Amino acid sequence: MKYFSTRGGSVELTFEETVLAGLAPDGGLYIPASIPQLPANWQKAWANKSFPELSIEILSLFISADEISQTDLAALVHATYNDSAWRHPDITPLHPLTTNKYILELFHGPTYAFKDVALQLLGNLFSYFLQRRNNAKYPGEERETLTVVGATSGDTGSAAIYGLRGKPDVSIFILHPKGRVSPVQEAQMTTVTDENVHNIAVKGTFDDCQDIVKALFADTTFNAKHHLGAVNSINWARILAQTVYYFLSYFAIRRTLPTDAELQFIVPTGNFGDILAGYYAKRMGLPVAKLVIATNANDILTRFWKTGRYEKVDSNSSSAAVGGVVETLSPAMDILVSSNFERLLWYLAFGNAQNTNTGGDLREKACQTVKGWMDDVKFIGRVVVPDSVLELARRDFTAERVDDKQIRQTIREYYTSQSYTADPHTAVGLHVAGVLSPPPNTIQIILSTAHPAKFSEAVTSALDGVPGFDFDSVLPEAFKTLLTMERRVIEVERPDVELVKGVVEQFAVV
């Protein structure tokens, strides 16, 4: 399997090159040259496989055995998803709410967030590739190193740090917007004091942090010197790893429910990575009726599906916040531009080119279309896609928006009626599930992206005055001393790429 950039399809990379590169030099995101179809007997052959076993099956469809042997791939996967690192044997278990509504709990990893599923694997892939390259060097030859840089709105940072802490030949620099992540999220990152871990608090927004990371990758001289690697969901390996839990939940449902039940996945999302994994699963052949995008007040995705306009600030509203980003109770989704959306845009552009029968190199035409669209977003803040493209987008997806009042109400509703404590991001998905009107045979699966203890202020404010609620009852033992532990963090006074470069220059292993 080869991979190419969404903004230029002429150069193809191996899986290893794609994982280590992260972002393409032209600013695009890597996607597979083709989407493999599932084996003919997959429903029977995979029906009783565990999460690691399913991971091996799915990853091997995208990774050539010439790059990672089946033996090595199995070892990598089993080292990632072992009992010592995960608090549930199913890794991502289904929790029933009603006969047709389930929560897919993705927060049973080391940092209590869904990002662990992919980032624990990505850390092991980085180590595997670096070790193999360095073992092949002659004595005295300079070792290869990797400088990982990433931006986080909360959970990516800690999950990436836990996946890479202490790894040889790797330095990791995580940028977070100062004061705009939850206290627990900040503590999870900054209390990791391994020498190869560096936290950078930027006075700005998550989008500022993300723009700095993209600028670092675009600087070819800086990138070549430090061998930059990406942990954000711009890295293809993260999307690939996340497809697995869509299959796992499908089989869990099939074992207990009628075969004519249709699955509807409701995914709280900001950067579009988690739901994009579901799209790839669907394209591979997983039976999915609809993928539902659940956004908070930062609703660029919902507005796109309603209007066909992908724009930083709602042109139909006079109440948009300065800079476009609204601070909400679900901060991991407080994102202005959804990076992974570019991958879907490529498939929409390609499908539209096929339907219009324009001839020529359709892959390259789709790349040039996406490049034009993303240039418009960058320079004028918006793009309006043709109706035919919007129609394609609506075939697989729908989208709804949720505000903070509805988040509080939903947390309260599910605690009082189901004795289930949801974090504010999960509450976004639960609220959207409640306003939809799917056919009677539809099973709704809401992806729960984080443990409620990571967002104490939102949960306690929503459940204030509820009889019997005690936040300590949902607080993991690991969190009880977290806020008092030693921290290490570097503050950057403004969102300036040169200031961040200086930090990397000072601390990176080269």
Side-chain angles (χ1 to χ4, degrees), residues 181-232:
V181 298
S182 80
V184 168
Q185 288 175 318
E186 182 180 345
Q188 280 188 312
M189 292 186 286
T190 58
T191 56
V192 177
T193 57
D194 295 62
E195 289 186 2
N196 71 323
V197 174
H198 310 281
N199 283 284
I200 303 175
V202 178
K203 292 184 178 178
T205 67
F206 167 75
D207 289 273
D208 292 329
C209 297
Q210 192 159 249
D211 287 344
I212 290 171
V213 170
K214 289 180 178 179
L216 293 177
F217 275 93
D219 187 326
T220 54
T221 303
F222 186 83
N223 196 335
K225 177 181 178 181
H226 292 285
H227 307 107
L228 299 187
V231 289
N232 284 82

Side-chain angles (χ1 to χ4, degrees), residues 463-489:
L463 298 178
D464 183 42
V466 174
F469 174 71
D470 179 7
F471 188 74
D472 284 344
S473 66
V474 298
L475 191 65
E477 202 62 37
F479 286 11
K480 293 181 179 178
T481 58
L482 193 61
L483 298 178
T484 61
M485 292 172 63
E486 174 192 354
R487 303 189 186 199
R488 188 154 60 85
V489 62

Side-chain angles (χ1 to χ4, degrees), residues 279 311 341 368 371 501 506:
Y279 174 75
E311 52 187 359
F341 187 55
Q368 293 309 306
K371 184 180 185 304
K501 277 185 183 179
Q506 182 178 353

Side-chain angles (χ1 to χ4, degrees), residues 219-399:
D219 187 326
T220 54
T221 303
F222 186 83
N223 196 335
K225 177 181 178 181
H226 292 285
H227 307 107
L228 299 187
V231 289
N232 284 82
S233 51
I234 58 176
N235 193 307
W236 163 250
R238 278 192 55 182
I239 306 301
L240 178 56
Q242 289 171 198
T243 62
V244 177
Y245 45 71
Y246 286 90
F247 285 88
L248 189 77
S249 59
Y250 166 82
F251 285 118
I253 292 293
R254 282 288 178 260
R255 284 194 288 270
T256 58
L257 294 174
T259 55
D260 66 342
E262 293 196 342
L263 298 189
Q264 181 185 75
F265 288 93
I266 297 95
V267 187
T269 189
N271 227 10
F272 203 72
D274 208 4
I275 198 164
L276 183 68
Y279 174 75
Y280 278 106
K282 190 175 190 295
R283 288 286 303 269
M284 290 167 68
L286 185 70
V288 177
K290 209 75 168 181
L291 293 161
V292 183
I293 300 157
T295 71
N296 63 14
N298 297 287
D299 58 350
I300 185 172
L301 293 170
T302 298
R303 287 185 278 112
F304 172 81
W305 261 270
K306 302 294 185 188
T307 67
R309 294 194 302 271
Y310 187 64
E311 52 187 359
K312 295 181 179 181
V313 179
D314 187 357
S315 58
N316 290 333
S317 173
S318 59
S319 60
V322 175
V325 179
V326 180
E327 289 190 56
T328 74
L329 293 175
S330 48
M333 296 158 60
D334 290 351
I335 293 171
L336 191 62
V337 175
S338 302
S339 289
N340 269 291
F341 187 55
E342 180 170 338
R343 284 185 165 113
L344 178 67
L345 284 176
W346 188 91
Y347 291 104
L348 298 178
F350 184 80
N352 193 54
Q354 284 182 312
N355 292 342
T356 53
N357 197 25
T358 56
D361 186 344
L362 297 186
R363 185 166 98 173
E364 189 57 37
K365 284 186 177 182
C367 289
Q368 293 309 306
T369 298
V370 169
K371 184 180 185 304
W373 286 344
M374 298 314 295
D375 283 346
D376 285 347
V377 173
K378 180 178 181 178
F379 294 113
I380 65 176
R382 70 176 60 86
V383 65
V384 182
V385 301
D387 289 343
S388 55
V389 170
L390 181 58
E391 184 179 337
L392 287 174
R394 288 173 172 169
R395 185 176 60 189
D396 295 312
F397 298 88
T398 187

